[in-house]
Amino acid sequence: MTDSSYDLVVLGGGSGGYAAALRAAELGRTVAIVEQDLLGGTCLHRGCVPTKALLHTAEVADGVRRAAAVGVNATLDGIDLSASLAWREKLVQGKHRGLSSLVKARGITVVSGRGTLTSVDGRPAIDVSGDRLVGTDVVIATGASSRTIPGIELGQKILDSESALALDEVPRRAVILGGGVIGVEFASAWRSLGAEVTIVEALDNLIANEDPSSRDALEKAYRRRGIALELGARVTAAEQSDDGVTVSIDRDGEARTLDADVVLVAVGRGPVTNGLGLAEAGIEIDRGFVSVDESLRTNAPHVWAVGDIVAGPQLAHRGFRHGIFVAETIAGENPSPLDDSLFPRVTYSTPEVASVGSTEPQAIAAHGADRIVTREVSLAGNAKSEIVSAGSESRAGFAKVVALADGPILGVHLVGERVGELITEGQLAVAWEARADDLAPLIHAHPSQSEALGEAFLALAGSPLHTL
Ligand code: NAD
């Protein structure tokens, strides 16, 4: 048993934890990360990165199917999902090597093993198999894990997103429980790869947190793509047999069964805060999440929490921001305050859905309907959108801007192919509290999809160019 001391000890090497460590080291602190698996965490190894790669395999398959629409002769001879998997694994390994080198180059110590919070002479510390890493400060960044539905056990043909990513064959029929971001992204990928897909969602809409216009557009596009939607449906059972899984659902009192080769359970992810010594250290936990103040301090001195264990949107880039924020606060800097509504949100489906700031109902609830103005510009008239979505079943989308009348832009909502890359402009507009008439003179490149957003700003400023 040995004790060692650092300025900062981080428990968990995912997006939130490694960002805190990198920034603290950059600010001249001695830093250790304790990680039980691999640096990079869920996002790099089991989440964002491999999922986006799977979605790219799906996009390429769609591109081949749509090739004739733009004069390219090509036929889709099949999907080799094990080749896609091998490519994705290599890609992730490369990113992991890059991250490990960066962490090493910043002089950060990485300790492998499962850590728990303890204290040594009144200072917080992380215990790893009896060795104690004592910190002037400790950051807890243990992330989240898949939830399931009571009575439905994961295993064999009932998958969580991690085991769904590891499939080496495309399922013929898939039922997805949960129409949130994970459910919608897998539905998109599997459908493009040739599966019959049904989404069962307890609420009346897919991606329920998004603006009603975005939810409606995605649902319409999915129906056109042949993705079956069971909305407002309750799952009552899922029985595995040699042939697959039978899912029982209940919708408005009407019981039905759905047969599938695999079932993906995507009903949310819960914070990982049990068994880490947090409660024993007197840290306040509320419904599984660590309670923090506006600077991400827990109620225990010099113990901080970042990322998915802090209630709010579960996004890798929120974890990055949290980590940077805590490292700077510890270093005595005064980082600008955190605001959950300013993290851009992108659902990487076909079509993509992207947003930042308030939805229209949120803006109305906050300011009153008579003070809110909105403008929705269809991508149907946008030349670049028409070019890149040639032959697509999901069709055009829109750019929608929500603003205070004679005031700043409060929210930006986009639906369409590749629109995720455009949300940064929306983020700048909302975060800098820009007004439409500030932005209207900044004309957008032609032809580009961003012109739809530019047109919405022009229209809100009273000078639409391509719309009435
Ligand atoms: P989610 O909370 O986004 O969606 C879960 C959905 O499951 C909800 O719509 C909920 O109503 C539904 N649901 C819950 N219980 C149900 C039941 N018994 N029957 C039917 N439906 C049920 O969660 P998720 O999709 O699992 O994603 C987890 C987290 O990871 C989310 O916070 C998400 O934002 C994040 N994530 C983000 C991205 C991205 O930014 N692109 C990608 C993947 C995951």
Side-chain angles (χ1 to χ4, degrees):
M1 186 170 115
T2 56
D3 284 356
S4 50
S5 285
Y6 300 86
D7 294 327
L8 181 66
V9 180
V10 182
L11 180 60
S15 309
Y18 86 67
L22 287 174
R23 185 72 181 120
E26 203 172 48
L27 291 167
R29 299 313 196 257
T30 55
V31 184
I33 301 178
V34 176
E35 169 56 56
Q36 63 185 358
D37 189 5
L38 294 169
L39 276 184
T42 301
C43 176
L44 176 56
H45 298 278
R46 300 174 290 280
C48 333
V49 175
T51 314
K52 267 74 261 179
L54 175 68
L55 282 154
H56 185 65
T57 295
E59 186 186 1
V60 172
D62 278 338
V64 175
R65 278 192 203 98
R66 288 155 44 170
V70 296
V72 174
N73 296 327
T75 45
L76 187 63
D77 287 339
I79 303 290
D80 184 347
L81 203 59
S82 59
S84 164
L85 183 58
W87 163 64
R88 283 180 265 141
E89 282 172 348
K90 208 165 150 210
L91 180 117
V92 168
Q93 282 161 14
K95 294 269 152 275
H96 177 245
R97 272 197 305 278
L99 175 63
S100 304
S101 308
L102 181 62
V103 164
K104 194 168 170 206
R106 297 246 172 119
I108 296 165
T109 302
V110 178
V111 176
S112 290
R114 187 177 156 70
T116 51
L117 183 66
T118 182
S119 73
V120 176
D121 302 331
R123 294 171 72 200
I126 299 296
D127 184 306
V128 186
S129 311
D131 291 336
R132 296 181 305 185
L133 293 91
V134 186
T136 304
D137 289 274
V138 163
V139 170
I140 311 294
T142 42
S145 63
S146 296
R147 285 204 192 109
T148 185
I149 301 171
I152 297 184
E153 225 171 280
L154 296 172
Q156 297 174 55
K157 296 165 189 147
I158 301 183
L159 315 172
D160 63 4
S161 54
E162 182 178 351
S163 42
L165 272 174
L167 289 181
D168 57 8
E169 256 182 67
V170 180
R172 201 166 54 81
R173 294 165 310 171
V175 168
I176 298 177
L177 308 184
V181 185
I182 293 181
V184 158
E185 289 188 349
F186 270 95
S188 188
W190 282 343
R191 182 69 189 137
S192 295
L193 296 172
E196 295 291 325
V197 180
T198 303
I199 302 178
V200 181
E201 166 57 54
L203 301 176
D204 290 334
N205 293 102
L206 298 180
I207 47 169
N209 296 330
E210 293 292 343
D211 190 89
S213 304
S214 304
R215 301 189 310 226
D216 291 354
L218 183 75
E219 286 162 19
K220 277 199 192 98
Y222 269 29
R223 289 199 169 101
R224 273 196 300 264
R225 293 187 60 195
I227 297 171
L229 304 182
E230 297 285 354
L231 304 179
R234 214 165 47 84
V235 182
T236 50
E239 301 284 334
Q240 305 213 35
S241 68
D242 291 345
D243 297 336
V245 191
T246 301
V247 177
S248 305
I249 64 168
D250 185 308
R251 194 164 142 198
D252 297 331
E254 188 193 319
R256 304 242 319 275
T257 59
L258 305 167
D259 293 320
D261 302 326
V262 297
V263 169
L264 167 63
V265 181
V267 294
R269 293 172 58 80
V272 176
T273 49
N274 272 338
L276 298 170
L278 302 185
E280 294 78 352
I283 289 181
E284 199 180 303
I285 310 270
D286 181 14
R287 278 161 292 173
F289 294 98
V290 177
S291 301
V292 290
D293 67 10
E294 67 284 355
S295 294
L296 302 173
R297 278 188 195 87
T298 70
N299 59 320
H302 296 281
V303 181
W304 310 72
V306 300
D308 288 355
I309 59 170
V310 177
Q314 296 172 322
L315 298 163
H317 45 285
R318 176 173 173 262
F320 292 148
R321 176 81 181 101
H322 277 186
I324 294 167
F325 179 93
V326 165
E328 292 180 349
T329 305
I330 290 171
E333 299 199 348
N334 194 17
S336 50
L338 298 165
D339 179 347
D340 275 346
S341 76
L342 295 182
F343 295 113
R345 306 171 287 263
V346 181
T347 303
Y348 295 86
S349 40
T350 299
E352 286 186 344
V353 179
S355 61
V356 67
S358 305
T359 62
E360 185 177 347
Q362 285 168 342
I364 289 173
H367 302 281
D370 50 341
R371 296 193 61 210
I372 295 301
V373 288
T374 68
R375 188 72 184 217
E376 195 172 304
V377 173
S378 169
L379 291 177
N382 178 281
K384 189 67 192 288
S385 291
E386 197 170 340
I387 293 165
V388 298
S389 57
S392 163
E393 292 160 329
S394 65
R395 309 240 181 96
F398 61 80
K400 173 174 174 177
V401 176
V402 179
L404 210 50
D406 294 321
I409 290 160
L410 303 172
V412 171
H413 303 274
L414 304 165
V415 176
E417 299 213 2
R418 305 183 190 184
V419 295
E421 298 290 339
L422 303 184
I423 199 59
T424 313
E425 181 177 355
Q427 183 189 30
L428 292 178
V430 176
W432 279 344
E433 298 178 4
R435 296 163 54 105
D437 48 10
D438 296 326
L439 299 173
L442 304 173
I443 209 81
H444 291 66
H446 177 74
S448 71
Q449 289 191 288
S450 69
E451 283 179 292
L453 201 45
E455 181 68 22
F457 297 144
L458 281 166
L460 280 172
S463 51
L465 181 64
H466 288 107
T467 52
L468 292 172

